[in-house]
Amino acid sequence: MTDGPAETVEHVSGSGIPVRGNDIDTDQIIPARFMKVVTFDGLGQFSFFDQRFDDDDNEKDHPMNEDRFRDASVMVVNANFGCGSSREHAPQALVRWGIDAIVGESFAEIFAGNCLALGVPTVTADAETVETIQDWVDDNPDGDVDVDVAAETVTYGDTTVDVTVDDAQRKALVEGVWDTTALMKANAEAVAETAASLPYVDTA
């Protein structure tokens, strides 16, 4: 649905994938050597690459390598997810792998901001709630996890739990103003007027 300049993101629903562990940093999410690209296309295949493959490219034990999670779109993580360097490639890689929303105990602030810029909600809950969701997803890989951004709830199976969505994030997603490029395009006339009024900008 589109009410604002970008699509509104009121809720996201899809099967889940549990990625366990605290302090998973952006270098684990997308190793630096895969960032030498002109566009973000194709980054998805390199998500968690060093956690998924050994030095000989043999698969390691990781949920992203399991067939039952291949079509997952809701990632369930633990505390301080996305810490470390502020590379926007990390959420870009997750989105291109297929992730549309992330549920976790807490997120690094810049990582959450980079997710918002892609329209990806990062919603939080306490450790016990998150672990329960991870266990349910493990047992029900084909079951849907519904993230209601507007209502601040997550529903899985017959259970609905309260979660927290940052106020500014919720407003931006629900009103469709999370995409700053779309926002500028929607206000192109006002941008042009402002530029024309600045003595140091040549609009000719």
Side-chain angles (χ1 to χ4, degrees), residues 47-65:
S47 295
F48 286 98
F49 192 88
D50 291 340
Q51 277 64 50
R52 294 169 56 204
F53 302 97
D54 64 20
D55 291 340
D56 296 318
D57 290 337
N58 298 310
E59 285 192 355
K60 292 160 49 173
D61 184 20
H62 192 278
M64 278 185 154
N65 287 337

Side-chain angles (χ1 to χ4, degrees), residues 146-169:
D146 187 84
V147 180
D148 192 322
V149 177
E152 294 187 275
T153 62
V154 167
T155 300
Y156 57 98
D158 297 325
T159 304
T160 297
V161 295
D162 292 329
V163 296
T164 300
V165 185
D166 175 79
D167 287 341
Q169 180 184 131

Side-chain angles (χ1 to χ4, degrees), residues 46-181:
F46 302 119
S47 295
F48 286 98
F49 192 88
D50 291 340
Q51 277 64 50
R52 294 169 56 204
F53 302 97
D54 64 20
D55 291 340
D56 296 318
D57 290 337
N58 298 310
E59 285 192 355
K60 292 160 49 173
D61 184 20
H62 192 278
M64 278 185 154
N65 287 337
E66 297 184 39
D67 286 338
R68 62 196 184 120
F69 296 130
R70 298 275 182 183
D71 296 323
S73 58
V74 179
M75 183 172 282
V76 190
V77 301
N78 296 106
N80 200 29
F81 188 79
C83 57
S85 68
S86 57
R87 62 189 67 170
E88 60 180 319
H89 296 69
Q92 290 278 3
L94 295 180
V95 166
R96 279 157 176 73
W97 190 85
I99 299 303
D100 295 324
I102 312 176
V103 181
E105 295 174 46
S106 61
F107 298 92
E109 184 176 355
I110 294 176
F111 175 83
N114 286 336
C115 285
L116 175 60
L118 298 174
V120 175
T122 49
V123 310
T124 58
D126 62 78
E128 183 179 354
T129 298
V130 167
E131 186 175 345
T132 300
I133 298 173
Q134 288 176 324
D135 290 344
W136 184 89
V137 167
D138 240 336
D139 293 336
N140 301 272
D142 294 323
D144 279 350
V145 178
D146 187 84
V147 180
D148 192 322
V149 177
E152 294 187 275
T153 62
V154 167
T155 300
Y156 57 98
D158 297 325
T159 304
T160 297
V161 295
D162 292 329
V163 296
T164 300
V165 185
D166 175 79
D167 287 341
Q169 180 184 131
R170 186 175 69 252
K171 177 180 173 66
L173 291 169
V174 171
E175 295 183 6
V177 293
W178 52 269
D179 186 335
T180 53
T181 301

